[in-house]
Amino acid sequence: MLEHRRRTVLGGAAGVGAIATLTALPRRASAQQGRTGSAGGRFQGKVVLVTGGTSGIGEATVRAFAAEGATVAFCGRRRHLGRHVERVVREAGGQAVYTHADVRDPRSVQRFVDGAVRRHDGLDIAFNNAGIQYSAPLHETTLEQWDDLMNTNARGVFLAMRHQLPHLIERGGGHIIVNSSVGALVGRPDLSLYQASKQAVQALVKSAALEYGRHGVRVNAILPGITDTAMIRPPDLDDATWERAKVALGELNVDGLKSVATPDQIAAGVLALAADEFGYLTGVSLPVDGGIAAGRRMLLPEV
Ligand SMILES: NC(=O)c1ccc[n+]([C@@H]2O[C@H](COP(=O)([O-])OP(=O)(O)OC[C@H]3O[C@@H](n4cnc5c(N)ncnc54)[C@H](OP(=O)(O)O)[C@@H]3O)[C@@H](O)[C@H]2O)c1
């Protein structure tokens, strides 16, 4: 529902068609700055794993957990961004360790998970967040795109859970949170692959919650709404145009709060789910979406 084909969203729904033709500026390659630091906090002494922590929601979640005292191990493929996030967290007094890992590769995932557990002496919380998106009509989607997207968004989550669960069981409990999408609650033109992958992980979450509850392991999904990350931002837009486009995007598509989420707002939802206060919550898919799931919008055509 949310992750639209970029040109369609920005050129059509948001009514800012001109932006796609504006002069391109290089996309910022730096991690977003924000609150970080480790003095005290809800996750003091906890070991947290994040897949896809090099940018966007994953990066914000790495910073947020570290700011609340956790030791965070995170992965991604872009080494320069991994090192940057690591540095930002450490300079603010937090603890984060980057490992180059590709969630499509079973050995890479195992190395990341087992290596982090060895290094930090256990595992308490995992946020399986890494994901990509393709947008195309179903009949134009190639087998390679299907494999790449499913191997990242669905099989990557399965592989991560497969290696995380034994460590959580050994620990006597813990929590896995999977990043799905509020868009997965419905169908969406041109996003059939993405929607299928995100619904698949919600099914994994529900079944795993039932399988591992007896071991004290909670398994939940978070369903972000439209979030200001590279996944939805057209690569060639300058900052000022993107700021305008975001306002229109929120007004038109976010029925409740009328604005696009920041990665920090989604990270705050992940931490709230992971906190002990929600210790009795398992098997749920929680929208953090500004009210999108609560409404079924009907846009009227211009006549
Ligand atoms: N933005 C939204 O509106 C929105 C809404 C709902 C759900 N989501 C979900 O949120 C998650 C994060 O996306 P985002 O919006 O934050 O976009 P993003 O900035 O593009 O982040 C995607 C993250 O996934 C990592 N990743 C992708 N493929 C990977 C692979 N094969 N192995 C390891 N890491 C990989 C990327 O790291 P590398 O490229 O360095 O590998 C990056 O850290 C995704 O699962 C997405 O579906 C986003």
Side-chain angles (χ1 to χ4, degrees):
M1 180 170 177
L2 300 175
E3 291 80 9
H4 311 256
R5 200 174 198 174
R6 284 175 179 162
R7 288 240 160 81
T8 309
V9 171
L10 296 174
V16 284
I19 57 180
T21 61
L22 293 182
T23 311
L25 285 183
R27 191 188 303 186
R28 281 172 303 163
S30 66
Q32 295 165 42
Q33 307 296 312
R35 66 200 163 84
T36 312
S38 66
R42 286 177 291 175
F43 299 99
Q44 194 71 44
K46 301 284 188 195
V47 178
V48 177
L49 248 61
V50 177
T51 67
T54 48
S55 66
I57 294 168
E59 183 221 323
T61 308
V62 170
R63 288 189 286 101
F65 271 120
E68 296 229 31
T71 299
V72 187
F74 69 100
C75 76
R77 296 162 300 174
R78 291 168 294 176
R79 286 188 171 85
H80 66 293
L81 290 184
R83 298 287 172 227
H84 178 77
V85 175
E86 207 177 47
R87 209 166 39 246
V88 167
V89 170
R90 286 181 183 171
E91 281 172 7
Q95 296 182 68
V97 178
Y98 166 69
T99 300
H100 179 269
D102 185 331
V103 297
R104 296 168 299 183
D105 174 0
R107 272 178 301 192
S108 183
V109 175
Q110 182 168 18
R111 264 199 308 274
F112 166 57
V113 174
D114 291 349
V117 168
R118 247 194 326 273
R119 180 174 186 156
H120 303 298
D121 199 23
L123 171 64
D124 297 293
I125 297 161
F127 180 43
N128 296 325
N129 158 77
I132 57 169
Q133 184 193 106
Y134 288 124
S135 173
L138 192 148
H139 75 282
E140 290 174 14
T141 300
T142 66
L143 208 53
E144 288 71 27
Q145 286 174 324
W146 170 273
D147 286 344
D148 191 34
L149 191 134
M150 285 298 174
N151 286 346
T152 306
N153 293 9
R155 199 179 78 151
V157 168
F158 157 70
L159 289 173
M161 289 172 71
R162 191 162 168 259
H163 293 298
Q164 291 156 357
L165 281 161
H167 296 298
L168 294 174
I169 292 168
E170 193 183 330
R171 191 80 143 183
H175 193 185
I176 293 176
I177 300 172
V178 172
N179 197 346
S180 176
S181 167
V182 74
L185 295 175
V186 293
R188 197 72 197 170
D190 295 341
L191 284 173
S192 46
L193 252 73
Y194 183 75
Q195 307 295 91
S197 72
K198 294 299 187 180
Q199 289 191 13
V201 296
Q202 285 180 64
L204 271 182
V205 159
K206 285 184 187 136
S207 298
L210 302 181
E211 282 180 54
Y212 297 98
R214 76 192 65 176
H215 298 286
V217 178
R218 295 198 288 135
V219 189
N220 291 298
I222 192 154
L223 277 52
I226 307 171
T227 309
D228 181 9
T229 71
M231 187 169 276
I232 67 157
R233 177 176 174 163
D236 298 335
L237 278 197
D238 63 89
D239 288 348
T241 310
W242 176 233
E243 288 306 316
R244 284 201 306 277
K246 267 193 314 190
V247 171
L249 210 52
E251 281 287 338
L252 278 167
N253 294 286
V254 186
D255 284 350
L257 296 178
K258 295 286 181 196
S259 59
V260 167
T262 64
D264 286 341
Q265 286 173 320
I266 305 302
V270 175
L271 267 69
L273 254 183
D276 287 343
E277 286 84 348
F278 278 111
Y280 198 59
L281 195 77
T282 195
V284 306
S285 295
L286 182 72
V288 180
D289 66 343
I292 293 172
R296 286 289 175 266
R297 212 169 163 68
M298 187 173 72
L299 293 173
L300 297 174
E302 281 179 32
V303 287

